[in-house]
Amino acid sequence: MSKAPKIDRKQLKTSDRFVQSGQQMLGWVASRRTPFLTVATVIVVVVACVYAYDAWTEKRELAAWAKLNTILKLAESERIEKLKAVYDELKGTRPGVVAAVTLGDHYFDSTKKLLLKDNSAKVVDSGSSWYGRALEYGELLASEKQLLLIDRAKSLELEGKLDEALVDLKTGEGISADNRALVLLAAGGI
């Protein structure tokens, strides 16, 4: 077994640089206790407010999704009118976008069926207006925006507004070069 190293007792009584700098820091904090506590309190209050706002926003969004899901389970005759009311209430949220897209899809299909039966029929509510409302949401992903532009253009085509449809397809803001082929394919039908 090896021998334990000898410790110089005098050296232990004097503090090293780390301990001295720690003592200086604690002394500085103690001498400025009032401003330090004020700053610490403000930081804690700000963090608590951010956390509370985040929790409130999440709770509100979960409630919106729950409301939308209950409406989507209804029969189609009831669902459409309730979706319109829910869209007005949830406008500016992701569930509001889903409601607008669902309404756009419904009116696109009903317009398509109506025009197949009678080509001179008048379109009352259009899918393009609902797709346009969904496009107003500021936090859409690029791919979502591109698909909504294509859907709106197809709906405008059904309504006979070919010039507006071509504008959406050709110069549509947000359509990437990667999806240009899909856009040209969609424009080929016009």
Side-chain angles (χ1 to χ4, degrees), residues 5 17 28 30-31 39 42 47 55 57 61 63 81 86 105 113 119 131 138 150 154 171 182 184 188-189:
R17 262 183 101 178
W28 180 81
S31 68
V39 170
V42 167
V47 168
T57 304
E61 189 167 335
E81 291 307 314
V86 155
D105 291 344
K113 288 175 188 173
N119 203 13
Y131 291 131
I150 292 169
K154 284 298 197 179
T171 62
L182 180 62
L184 291 175

Side-chain angles (χ1 to χ4, degrees), residues 46-118:
V46 167
V47 168
C49 288
V50 168
Y51 177 74
Y53 177 75
D54 187 46
W56 175 76
T57 304
E58 186 176 342
K59 184 178 178 183
R60 189 172 148 235
E61 189 167 335
L62 286 173
W65 280 114
K67 182 180 273 191
L68 181 65
N69 284 333
T70 57
I71 290 172
L72 290 175
K73 292 176 185 176
L74 296 173
E76 190 168 343
S77 58
E78 295 176 63
R79 183 179 356 150
I80 299 307
E81 291 307 314
K82 289 194 178 193
L83 274 174
K84 287 180 182 179
V86 155
Y87 171 77
D88 290 334
E89 183 181 330
L90 303 178
K91 193 179 198 178
T93 63
R94 184 137 322 253
V97 171
V98 172
V101 170
T102 304
L103 285 165
D105 291 344
H106 167 76
Y107 285 115
F108 177 80
D109 290 340
S110 63
T111 301
K112 196 175 186 181
K113 288 175 188 173
L114 183 69
L115 292 176
L116 285 174
K117 287 182 184 176
D118 180 16

Side-chain angles (χ1 to χ4, degrees), residues 1-19:
M1 238 180 171
S2 65
K3 233 175 163 185
K6 286 191 170 188
I7 299 174
D8 185 12
R9 303 265 183 222
K10 291 179 185 176
Q11 197 175 16
L12 287 177
K13 289 182 182 178
T14 61
S15 56
D16 60 357
R17 262 183 101 178
F18 178 75
V19 172

